[in-house]
Amino acid sequence: MTFNARKSAQIIAFFIIKNGGTSIDVLKAVKLVYLGDRQSIEDFGFPITDDSHVSMPHGPVNSKTYSHVNGEYDLDGCGWSDFLEGRANYQIGAKGQITVDDLDELSDADIQALDKVWNKFGHMTKWQLRDWTHSRKNVPEWEDPRGSSSPIPLERILTLLQIENADEHADLIEDHKYIDRIFESLRE
C-alpha cells in the first residue's frame, strides 16, 4: 500500500490551523485524523488517507500516520516536514504559517469531512477525545488490543457505519488504492 505522508501531514496541519495555527497535542491530532477518515467513509464512502487503521490501548489510530508523528520514518523527502515540525513536549507544530489554501493534497470533500470532525470534536481535550474514541459505544470497530495493537479491517468500519455491501465496497476501495499505486509508480 502506498502511504501518502504529505497528505496525512496536511490533515494534521488542517487541525493545527483550526487549533490556532501553531501546534496541537499529538494524542488529539492522531484521534482527529482517525475520525476524519471515519467521517469521510460515512459521508462519501472512502477514507481520506490510504492508511491502515489499528486498535491501540488508547483507542483507534491511523497506523502509518501515528508512526510518522512518532518519528519512526525519515520525515524529509516524503512531504511530511514540508508542513510539520517534529514532535516536542507532546505537541506537533506547523512549519511556518500555513493556510488551508496550502493544503493541496486535500480535496473539497476531504476539507468538508475534516470540518465536520473539528466542529464536533475540536473543543475536546486530548483525554476527552481519547475516552470518546476508546468507547465501543462511539467507535464500535475499536477492540481492546490488551496493551498491543490489532488491525481494524476496513470492512468492519464500513459495516458498522452501515455502508451497503461493505465487503464489496472494501474491495472497491482496495482497487482504488491499487490504481493509485500504479499512477504513483509512473510518476517516480
Side-chain angles (χ1 to χ4, degrees), residues 118-134:
W118 183 259
N119 290 337
K120 186 171 182 179
F121 301 106
H123 69 281
M124 290 184 173
T125 68
K126 63 183 177 183
W127 298 117
Q128 290 170 327
L129 194 54
R130 177 256 182 222
D131 291 347
W132 195 91
T133 61
H134 194 257

Side-chain angles (χ1 to χ4, degrees), residues 53-87:
H53 305 97
V54 295
S55 291
M56 294 191 70
H58 290 291
V61 299
N62 289 29
S63 180
K64 288 191 173 74
T65 300
Y66 182 67
S67 294
H68 276 75
V69 166
N70 287 329
E72 295 173 23
Y73 291 94
D74 179 10
L75 302 179
D76 294 325
C78 68
W80 185 271
S81 59
D82 294 345
F83 297 90
L84 301 174
E85 300 285 348
R87 68 181 275 173

Side-chain angles (χ1 to χ4, degrees), residues 128-148:
Q128 290 170 327
L129 194 54
R130 177 256 182 222
D131 291 347
W132 195 91
T133 61
H134 194 257
S135 164
R136 292 217 25 157
K137 175 184 163 245
N138 300 323
V139 185
E141 65 269 22
W142 177 81
E143 295 177 345
D144 187 352
R146 310 232 185 276
S148 184

Side-chain angles (χ1 to χ4, degrees), residues 11-16 18-20 23-36 58 60-62 65-66 69 87 89-92 114 117-131 133:
I11 295 168
I12 294 173
F14 174 87
F15 289 126
I16 290 172
K18 293 291 190 176
N19 197 51
S23 67
I24 192 167
D25 183 84
V26 167
L27 181 60
K28 185 170 184 171
V30 296
K31 297 303 170 199
L32 292 172
V33 171
Y34 178 84
L35 290 170
H58 290 291
V61 299
N62 289 29
T65 300
Y66 182 67
V69 166
R87 68 181 275 173
N89 300 319
Y90 305 103
Q91 296 282 310
I92 189 161
L114 296 174
V117 167
W118 183 259
N119 290 337
K120 186 171 182 179
F121 301 106
H123 69 281
M124 290 184 173
T125 68
K126 63 183 177 183
W127 298 117
Q128 290 170 327
L129 194 54
R130 177 256 182 222
D131 291 347
T133 61

